[in-house]
């Protein structure tokens, strides 16, 4: 039986008259090789039918997969991340850092029951974990001795984390609307489990937010502080829990609380669904109701009218998270600043 030997880097080097290391540089770092040498190596590779280094061999030699795993927060699926304006920009930031490092981005997912096993088995060199401080996930990553970064939660001084100043952002949003004269608010908080919107009526004292993350509570605290500064109580404000992008969110607001003149949201995607519903109903924004988003996605500037939003550098956050994984240095806890960008979706109450 005739066995054809698969050509190797060394074989290409012998035909081209260069070292194995030079052949490796031609395929992995071509900018380091003179153009005439590079052309000679490429011709030898074509002659031998050599297509480049086998990535499996690199894994065996280096013990690395040259990939970062990104796990969405909570029960969110990969598809939810891609549909989300925020998610797309965050993944873009991670992808840019991976491109710069010559690495691969792997979107990893799992149900509540399988997320820890996904961490144990994913073929990656590190992780970016979504918004929840999940002890089981952290423990699984630590047992693999892989670098990881948690987004939008503080897991302590020994864990890499990047989060925004959600409390300050929420305070800015309320302060802006209050300065315009608004006193009748509705809050859209983020539901972290699947299902229709949950309405928490005012006057019920402390209201439980289902499966809330640290960032959600920080923003609620900021809303509460801002309302208190104009002698209002958050306990007297309706709170509607809804998943970002839930199309019925705007309908719930307008059907249940027509007296509201200002809507505070926890994501641009939530705010965009409200704007869309207002257009369908012929409700003028901001003449009849003002809306404030949260995130500062690129889409917020393209809505009708353009959305006032609490903004931060989402792409930069994704890029930084990936860089921290690549560096695998001393743990850092980074808090990103936010700012309020005022656009056409807010104005004085009628």
């Amino acid at each position: 039986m005739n066995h054809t030997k698969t050509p190797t880097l060394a074989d290409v080097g012998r035909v081209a008259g260069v070292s194995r290391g030079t052949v490796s540089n031609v395929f992995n770092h071509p900018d380091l090789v003179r153009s005439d040498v590079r052309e000679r190596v490429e011709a030898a590779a074509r002659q031998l039918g050599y297509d480049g280094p086998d990535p499996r061999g690199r894994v065996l030699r280096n013990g690395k997969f040259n990939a970062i795993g990104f796990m969405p927060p909570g029960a969110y699926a990969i598809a939810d991340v891609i549909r989300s304006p925020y998610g797309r920009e965050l993944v873009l930031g991670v992808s840019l850092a991976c491109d710069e490092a010559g690495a691969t981005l792997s979107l990893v997912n799992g149900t509540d029951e399988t997320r820890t096993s996904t961490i144990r088995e994913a073929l990656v060199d590190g992780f970016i974990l979504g918004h929840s401080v999940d002890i089981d996930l952290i423990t699984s990553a630590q047992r693999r001795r892989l670098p990881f970064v948690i987004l939008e939660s503080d897991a302590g001084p020994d864990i890499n984390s990047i989060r925004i100043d959600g409390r300050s952002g929420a305070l800015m949003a309320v302060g802006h609307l209050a300065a315009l004269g608004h006193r009748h608010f509705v809050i859209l908080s983020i539901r972290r489990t699947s299902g229709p919107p949950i309405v928490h009526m005012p006057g019920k004292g402390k209201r439980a937010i289902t499966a809330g993350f640290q960032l959600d509570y920080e923003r609620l605290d900021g809303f509460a502080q801002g309302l208190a500064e104009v002698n209002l109580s958050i306990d007297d404000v309706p709170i509607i829990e809804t998943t970002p992008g839930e199309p019925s969110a705007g309908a719930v607001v307008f059907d249940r609380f027509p007296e509201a003149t200002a809507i505070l949201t926890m994501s641009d995607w939530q705010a965009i669904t409200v704007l869309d519903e207002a257009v369908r109903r012929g409700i003028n924004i901001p003449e009849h109701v003002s809306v404030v988003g949260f995130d500062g996605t690129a889409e917020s500037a393209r809505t009708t009218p353009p959305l006032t939003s609490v903004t931060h550098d989402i792409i930069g956050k994704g890029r930084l998270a990936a860089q921290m994984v690549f560096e695998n240095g001393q743990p850092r806890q980074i808090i990103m600043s936010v700012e309020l960008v005022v656009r056409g979706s807010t104005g004085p109450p009628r």
Side-chain angles (χ1 to χ4, degrees), residues 200 206-210 217 241:
H200 298 272
K206 188 69 174 178
R207 292 168 286 186
I209 303 299
T210 60
Y217 294 120
E241 280 187 81

Side-chain angles (χ1 to χ4, degrees), residues 9-26:
L9 283 173
D11 295 331
V12 176
R14 279 194 294 273
V15 172
V18 299
S19 69
R20 181 186 182 282
T22 297
V23 178
S24 177
N25 281 337
V26 167

Side-chain angles (χ1 to χ4, degrees), residues 275 285 291 299-308 342-346:
L275 296 183
I285 291 178
V291 182
E299 288 192 28
S300 66
R302 298 194 292 263
T303 57
T304 303
L307 181 65
T308 294
V342 178
R343 302 190 181 101
S345 69
T346 52

